Amino acid sequence: MRRIPATVSVAALLAITTACSSLSLPPGKEATTRTRLTDLRPVRDGGTVTIGLKSDPDMLDPSLTSTLVARTVFSSMCEQLYDVDQDNKFVPQLADSMPKITDGGRTFTFTVRKDARFSDGARLDARAVKTSLDRHPQLRGSGRASEIDSVQEVTAIGPYTVRLSLSHPDVPLLGRLANTAGLIMSPKALRKYGRNFAAHPSCVGPFRYDKRVVGDRIELTKDPLYYDADKVHLDRVIYRTITDGNIRMANIRSGDVQIGDQTGPVEVRNSMGEKDLQLLNTPSLGYMALTLNVGNSHGIDKDPSPVDNPFGRDVRVREAFDLSLDRTLINKLVFQGMYEPACGPVPPGTPLSTPLTCPKRDVSKAERLLKEAGVKTPVPLELMINTTPDDSRLGQVVQAMAADAGFDVRLRPTEFATGLTRTLAGDFEARTGGWGGQPDPAGNIDSLVGTKGSNNQGKLSDPTIDRLIVEGRSTSDIAERREIYRRLTTAINKQHGVLYLYRNINYVSASKDVSGIKLSGDGLIKAKEAGYTKGSR
């Protein structure tokens, strides 16, 4: 494993940052970084588009998945009850209208489309929706269990009408139904394949699953049964796993790949102004963070149990580690200043956000906290990072910063799928990773830091956080919810279990010959209406 020598200090990193800052863009290219969500040039029918993914998706099962890249694949083959438009507003997708909320917020009633069929021929109806929503909390290892834990009963009260009876008001539920929890699976496929659904996924979508070579590619074919098939131009969409951003970009230049997912700042800068490329981008609704394992001793599906190391035993050690990091410098050095420092889960600029000032690096206080905690320095910590150039740079910078405060960070580069398996099993001390994000902050908080959260990787458990999560769900008043999430962010940061580091910009690079690509605020590439421009190859 590669490590920065202990002699490399933050002062040296600053010198490197100064050098990096000299990589300015040529005059006139800065304008190409403006927010651009879609490209609507006319397209022709036919052809195959290959999308290069940053990492290999985990299971293609809406109940079990926990990765953004899997959601990107789902966006082409599995539609949700609701969706988020390019203004980050909720709109119907498989539902045909917004839900009717009654009984003081304890009942959601909605109808579903009457013209939709799954790729295996089964018809979408209320019973199909019930089958999927019932499966989420019942399937062992489900990442959706805590996301819809307010739903006590799902009832098909008519052929196409669904009623959700809740145990308590749950304002953010609509946001979850516009995310992975709202993906509806074919009941016919679920009966036939059960827990092996991921190998034979069938949903309602513009493309149907064809085959997968794990670690290499996922192939989809246009679904003639899709209710909106007239708007689908491509014959096929192929997702290829290409973890190195430079290689993804090289494949776009060569024509082997037409769209590059999650293009990094270095590749963006290097490619700006190239006449054969286009760039789409939008601010992220999510975040990137460093998660410390404080209670995941026996696996993510078990109750929290304190991890027997200095980080699990004493919050002062975690706070000291947090104080060793300089988020502004991380952004400048690792991402050339093209991202934004972050220190909370609520996306800025959204209705429920409040201004937040990130803490400054304080090595003296960090050293004092370690002394008060009575731990022997340097305090060891194994940090699991993904095997990408960006993650390698991030890990090395964190390693150097933490060393100044009395920590010995050992980097463990781990292939994405293996790292996810280890994380779910609790076999890690710390890891870097991100969350795609949702417009409602509950989607960035509840399942990730709540004690019973099904995506709470470090098993952080705090009664104040849990109480505020419930309060945030229980009122629809904007001002009240904004104040709740301000206090909730403070409570999360006080535990120093999830260290929010930066908020990225979603960049997607593509061949100029492809149009109709849509990019959502959570970073999903939507290829439903994509195609080759008229007159192109």
Side-chain angles (χ1 to χ4, degrees):
M1 74 186 58
R2 187 179 178 190
R3 301 183 60 196
I4 287 182
T7 54
V8 175
S9 65
V10 174
L13 292 176
L14 281 167
I16 300 172
T17 302
T18 302
C20 286
S21 66
S22 67
L23 299 174
S24 57
L25 298 176
K29 289 189 180 179
E30 293 86 351
T32 61
T33 64
R34 69 188 185 278
T35 299
R36 185 169 175 228
L37 302 175
T38 190
D39 176 10
L40 299 177
R41 291 171 294 158
V43 299
R44 60 177 172 80
D45 290 335
T48 298
V49 158
T50 299
I51 300 174
L53 298 178
K54 183 179 180 180
S55 55
D56 197 40
D58 60 347
M59 288 178 284
L60 297 181
D61 183 322
S63 296
L64 299 173
T65 186
S66 60
T67 63
L68 178 63
V69 283
R71 287 193 61 216
T72 293
V73 177
F74 282 135
S75 72
S76 290
M77 70 175 195
C78 287
E79 291 194 336
Q80 304 158 165
L81 290 169
Y82 296 92
D83 198 9
V84 179
D85 67 13
Q86 292 181 296
D87 294 319
N88 291 324
K89 295 180 180 178
F90 297 118
V91 293
Q93 193 171 61
L94 290 183
D96 67 5
S97 62
M98 298 302 287
K100 182 179 180 181
I101 303 174
T102 56
D103 191 25
R106 290 179 173 83
T107 302
F108 275 50
T109 306
F110 57 89
T111 55
V112 297
R113 304 185 65 99
K114 299 179 177 63
D115 58 351
R117 295 172 67 183
F118 296 96
S119 61
D120 61 6
R123 290 196 173 275
L124 173 75
D125 58 17
R127 289 185 177 275
V129 173
K130 173 177 169 58
T131 298
S132 282
L133 295 184
D134 282 346
R135 182 179 189 256
H136 288 330
Q138 295 170 0
L139 188 67
R140 184 170 179 247
S142 171
R144 314 283 79 78
S146 68
E147 295 178 0
I148 59 170
D149 59 0
S150 63
V151 180
Q152 282 190 316
E153 186 177 10
V154 182
T155 307
I157 59 175
Y160 297 97
T161 304
V162 181
R163 181 176 64 213
L164 307 182
S165 302
L166 313 186
S167 57
H168 55 77
D170 189 0
V171 174
L173 179 61
L174 176 60
R176 300 189 189 100
L177 297 179
N179 204 274
T180 316
L183 293 172
I184 305 302
M185 298 163 276
S186 165
K188 178 180 176 181
L190 289 175
R191 286 193 301 269
K192 184 174 182 179
Y193 301 110
R195 194 176 178 88
N196 199 33
F197 176 87
H200 311 274
S202 176
C203 304
V204 176
F207 300 91
R208 58 174 174 78
Y209 176 84
D210 189 3
K211 67 178 181 179
R212 177 176 190 175
V213 179
V214 175
D216 181 50
R217 64 179 56 211
I218 296 169
E219 299 185 10
L220 309 182
T221 304
K222 180 177 178 178
D223 187 354
L225 300 178
Y226 181 54
Y227 63 87
D228 216 9
D230 289 346
K231 292 183 179 179
V232 182
H233 304 286
L234 293 168
D235 295 326
R236 300 172 74 222
V237 175
I238 298 175
Y239 294 91
R240 282 186 54 199
T241 300
I242 307 174
T243 59
D244 190 304
N246 287 315
I247 297 176
R248 284 201 303 280
M249 189 61 69
N251 273 266
I252 295 175
R253 292 187 179 105
S254 70
D256 293 327
V257 168
Q258 285 72 50
I259 304 172
D261 171 50
Q262 299 183 58
T263 305
V266 174
E267 291 77 37
V268 168
R269 283 183 177 269
N270 290 341
S271 64
M272 281 181 176
E274 294 189 31
K275 62 182 181 64
D276 292 331
L277 298 179
Q278 57 176 311
L279 178 69
L280 282 71
N281 64 92
T282 182
S284 173
L285 295 171
Y287 59 79
M288 295 296 290
L290 190 154
T291 298
L292 294 164
N293 187 356
V294 297
N296 190 353
S297 296
H298 307 296
I300 198 169
D301 57 344
K302 302 295 192 301
D303 290 335
S305 177
V307 173
D308 188 20
N309 66 25
F311 292 88
R313 288 192 295 263
D314 198 322
V315 69
R316 291 173 294 187
V317 177
R318 304 198 295 271
E319 183 179 0
F321 187 82
D322 198 354
L323 287 169
S324 76
L325 305 179
D326 185 329
R327 289 164 170 79
T328 300
L329 180 55
I330 287 172
N331 177 46
K332 288 181 179 178
L333 181 58
V334 182
F335 306 109
Q336 299 190 14
M338 293 180 70
Y339 290 165
E340 292 293 332
C343 45
V346 182
T350 53
L352 299 181
S353 65
T354 53
L356 191 62
T357 301
C358 293
K360 293 185 178 180
R361 187 174 193 249
D362 192 336
V363 172
S364 296
K365 184 176 180 180
E367 292 174 330
R368 188 166 63 252
L369 286 168
L370 292 181
K371 186 175 181 180
E372 291 173 2
V375 294
K376 181 181 178 181
T377 58
V379 182
L381 179 71
E382 182 180 87
L383 175 59
M384 185 164 60
I385 59 174
N386 294 323
T387 54
T388 67
D390 282 352
D391 284 278
S392 178
R393 289 194 298 269
L394 175 61
Q396 291 170 3
V397 171
V398 168
Q399 184 184 61
M401 290 180 172
D404 286 352
F407 293 93
D408 177 25
V409 177
R410 305 178 305 279
L411 301 181
R412 182 161 183 170
T414 308
E415 187 273 327
F416 183 75
T418 301
L420 183 60
T421 299
R422 287 187 58 199
T423 299
L424 298 179
D427 182 21
F428 76 106
E429 293 183 355
R431 70 160 299 166
T432 56
W435 184 251
Q438 298 179 26
D440 192 300
N444 289 7
I445 294 173
D446 296 11
S447 75
L448 294 127
V449 294
T451 296
K452 295 186 179 300
S454 47
N455 294 300
N456 185 348
Q457 296 179 347
K459 300 303 286 185
L460 178 65
S461 178
D462 178 73
T464 299
I465 293 174
D466 293 341
R467 174 177 57 79
L468 289 170
I469 284 175
V470 172
E471 290 182 15
R473 291 180 173 186
S474 303
T475 177
S476 58
D477 184 270
I478 296 294
E480 288 183 19
R481 293 193 77 208
R482 185 183 299 116
E483 173 59 18
I484 290 168
Y485 288 111
R486 185 194 66 78
R487 290 187 283 132
L488 188 45
T489 297
T490 299
I492 295 168
N493 288 341
K494 185 177 180 180
Q495 288 297 320
H496 304 281
V498 178
L499 312 184
Y500 304 99
L501 296 180
Y502 63 91
R503 187 162 280 109
N504 65 321
I505 303 294
N506 298 314
Y507 290 110
V508 168
S509 298
S511 164
K512 70 170 185 178
D513 293 337
V514 177
S515 182
I517 310 163
K518 293 184 179 180
L519 178 63
S520 62
D522 50 6
L524 300 184
I525 300 169
K526 298 186 177 181
K528 171 182 172 178
E529 297 180 38
Y532 288 98
T533 55
K534 293 182 178 180
S536 64
R537 58 186 175 83

